[in-house]
Structures are given as C-alpha cells and as structure tokens.
Amino acid sequence: MRRQDLEAMDFEELWLLHEELTKILAEKITAEKRQLEKRLAQLNQPDQFGEAEIGASETGTGQPRRKYPKVVPKYYNPLQPTETWSGRGKQPRWLVAALQSGHTLEEFKIRENGESSEGNAGGREHS
C-alpha cells in the first residue's frame, strides 16, 4: 500500500487495518518463537553418536556438578589472620613470599583441637 492510500482512509478503516495487522504479527511471532524453541531443544539434546568424546572434553553436559565438602583452611597468614589457605591449588602470594624469605610451611599451619601455634601460645600463657 502507498502512503496516499493510507492517508485517504478514514479512522475506522485504519483502526480495522491496525487490528488485522496486530493479529497477523502476533501469529507470526508465536509461530517463529515455537520454531526457535524446537531448534533450541534439538541443540540441547545430546547426540547419540560421539557424545561420549564431547562430554569428556566439555563441562556443560547438562549434568550437575558433584557437591564437594567444604575444605577447611590449614594455613594462615600471621600478619593477616583472615588470609587462609586450604593447602590445595596455587599457593597464595603471602605464603610464597614468606617461604622465599626462609620460613617453613609448618610455621603457618593452623593447629587443631584448640592447640595454638607458637605465636599464639605466648598470648595464652598471660591469661
């Protein structure tokens, strides 16, 4: 339709055209949405062939990760007691620097069962 044709129409004809267009657009949008959802479902389904190799290399295979227990810290920074390390993974910078300056890993160990390290033992004796 040309613009002149639209301008020549009265209000009621334009409003009916508007309602008809809205209806057609809504139908086309829902049809396209359904088609995209089907395609997405197909992409999310694991393939029957070759999925074992792909699943081994990718982490997002749809299976939830196994829950691991919380790891308690084993080492702490005496200068900043809130900085701790569980003994797993890469050593924190404060520990690497202390080890390079001659300290041993045992000096930073968190004592269990209420035992305190050498620095804390002196503080407890004065109580």
Side-chain angles (χ1 to χ4, degrees):
M1 270 188 156
R2 287 192 275 169
R3 186 172 177 92
Q4 291 174 347
D5 293 340
L6 292 174
E7 289 176 355
M9 297 174 101
D10 66 344
F11 179 78
E12 289 180 26
E13 289 177 321
L14 286 172
W15 188 254
L16 289 174
L17 183 62
H18 166 73
E19 288 178 345
E20 191 176 334
L21 285 172
T22 304
K23 181 182 171 187
I24 293 170
L25 279 174
E27 288 173 358
K28 287 193 177 212
I29 287 172
T30 53
E32 189 172 341
K33 183 179 175 186
R34 237 181 276 124
Q35 188 179 24
L36 288 172
E37 286 173 347
K38 283 182 186 177
R39 186 165 181 219
L40 183 62
Q42 286 176 345
L43 291 174
N44 285 337
Q45 285 181 349
D47 293 336
Q48 292 180 7
F49 304 105
E51 185 62 29
E53 300 93 28
I54 295 171
S57 63
E58 293 181 15
T59 57
T61 60
Q63 296 178 348
R65 283 189 61 176
R66 189 177 91 162
K67 300 214 180 218
Y68 291 94
K70 184 168 173 60
V71 180
V72 293
K74 295 179 183 158
Y75 305 97
Y76 77 103
N77 182 358
L79 302 175
Q80 291 256 226
T82 57
E83 293 180 346
T84 58
W85 181 53
S86 66
R88 294 183 178 183
K90 191 174 178 181
Q91 292 179 337
R93 291 181 184 153
W94 59 265
L95 185 60
V96 171
L99 292 174
Q100 287 177 349
S101 66
H103 293 281
T104 62
L105 190 59
E106 189 63 30
E107 294 175 38
F108 302 100
K109 193 160 181 90
I110 297 175
R111 307 291 178 212
E112 294 181 18
N113 298 331
E115 296 177 28
S116 57
S117 62
E118 294 174 16
N120 292 341
R124 195 167 39 137
E125 291 173 6
H126 295 291
S127 299

